[in-house]
Amino acid sequence: MLAATLDKLATLSRLPLGKATAMPPQMYTCEEIAAHEQAHIFTRQWLCAGRSDDLPNAGDYLSYEIGSQPILLVRQVDDSIRAFANVCKHRMMQLLEGKGACPNQRIVCPYHAWTYDIQGQLVAAPHMQKREGFDASKIQLNTVRCEVWEGWLYVTLSDEVPPVNELLAELHDVVADYHMDNYITIVQQDHVWNTNWKMLTENFMEGYHLPVTHRATVGGHFPVEDTRFSSLPPNPAFTYQYFTKQDTAPLGTAHADNTVLQGEQRRTSVLPTVFPSHMYALAPDHLWYLSLQPLGTDQVKIRYGAALAPEVLAASEEPDFLISDVIEFLDKVNAEDRGVVEGIFKGAQAPLSEAGPLCWLEQENHEFTQYLARQLCK
Ligand code: FES
Ligand SMILES: [Fe+2]
């Protein structure tokens, strides 16, 4: 099954968009494909753990997991962010959960209170002095590669993948005018949906469904025929498209105090997908993002968040109401997406299912097929 499915993927990836179909259903349902993706994609690439402003002060931490590896990210005194294996060097207890501030900038294991500083160095281990030769200074949490790029936190288990700023150098010019690193996070949550991770990625990558699935929320404010795709040569690390909002949209156009964006840019959102699974909709006044990892074939672990441009919050007389309104609105949009991506996963498991032809608005879906073929068909 694995070899046959990968053959189909390779063949499909070589077709032009005008002749391409969606990926075969086995790409979403086959356990061997899921295992192959773990080995060839998720342990080898950069994944997004959140945003830098999730950790404003030294000692603030954020936990994350890459597959079965728990990770903690912690803000250092010099303002950098470092990541470590979130596993105690004594009997492997998980050290920190969720996010918060480490009291006194110390990480204390909840099992026997081995205590680490925020550089991952063991500094105290109760009752261990009787053990001959025990030297706390030789014990250090395992380091995990972590980079901050334009306000995003990326982590990887790979020693080989090139630095983020190298991989995403060309994306910088596309997003720079929005100054998204200044956006202020208003929500960050983890969810699990009952679908294959790729179905959620592909759903993000096309605006074709917006007027239909999202007719009750954002659908009416996007003229989908105005969708524009990347004008850069294909990039192995990312892709993106632009959506333009009508001025009537409740969210998604530049605030009057935004004097940087000009003309059409003031109502244009850019939607990058950083392969394999970090996606964000970057609007002049807000952004929202998804970072995905598979849980087998049939569930996806989602880190979801949203942020507002600083001038939007600064000008609001009732920022708490504004924030709760935005969150409520985005929750509705997410619920609409959940309905369709769980629905198509049911469809993909049906014996009579087969992949159909793609629309021009699904250009990025075909780019994703080509990305997967590059990673998986070696
Ligand atoms: S497992 Fe952490 S102190 Fe024992
Ligand atoms: Fe959607």
Side-chain angles (χ1 to χ4, degrees), residues 256-373:
D257 294 345
N258 179 336
T259 54
V260 178
L261 295 175
Q262 303 297 328
E264 192 75 343
Q265 259 191 326
R266 296 186 69 79
R267 54 192 193 94
T268 298
S269 298
V270 57
L271 290 90
T273 295
V274 176
F275 296 131
S277 62
H278 178 213
M279 293 147 275
Y280 52 99
L282 174 60
D285 59 344
H286 77 285
L287 66 80
W288 62 267
Y289 68 93
L290 303 171
S291 179
L292 311 180
Q293 287 185 69
L295 289 173
T297 56
D298 58 351
Q299 290 193 311
V300 57
K301 195 165 64 168
I302 305 166
R303 180 152 284 184
Y304 157 75
L308 289 174
E311 65 276 7
V312 173
L313 272 174
S316 173
E317 286 172 12
E318 303 266 19
D320 291 346
F321 285 120
L322 171 70
I323 289 169
S324 59
D325 275 1
V326 172
I327 292 172
E328 197 182 323
F329 183 74
L330 293 174
D331 282 350
K332 279 188 200 153
V333 178
N334 283 328
E336 292 166 339
D337 282 321
R338 182 172 190 167
V340 291
V341 298
E342 294 191 344
I344 56 175
F345 183 62
K346 278 195 187 148
Q349 295 168 83
L352 299 181
S353 294
E354 58 187 320
L358 293 178
C359 172
W360 70 272
L361 288 162
E362 295 168 309
Q363 173 179 318
E364 287 193 4
N365 297 48
H366 194 48
E367 290 174 33
F368 187 47
T369 295
Q370 291 165 332
Y371 166 80
L372 292 168

Side-chain angles (χ1 to χ4, degrees), residues 203 209-210 213-214 333 337:
N203 179 66
H209 73 283
L210 288 173
T213 306
H214 298 299
V333 178
D337 282 321

Side-chain angles (χ1 to χ4, degrees), residues 74-100:
V74 59
R75 174 83 65 181
Q76 303 294 303
V77 173
D78 68 2
D79 215 31
S80 64
I81 293 178
R82 295 186 62 187
F84 302 101
N86 187 8
V87 178
C88 184
K89 298 297 261 190
H90 177 221
R91 278 178 36 220
M92 299 171 281
M93 180 66 188
Q94 184 171 326
L95 292 165
L96 296 172
E97 287 189 7
K99 62 180 172 180

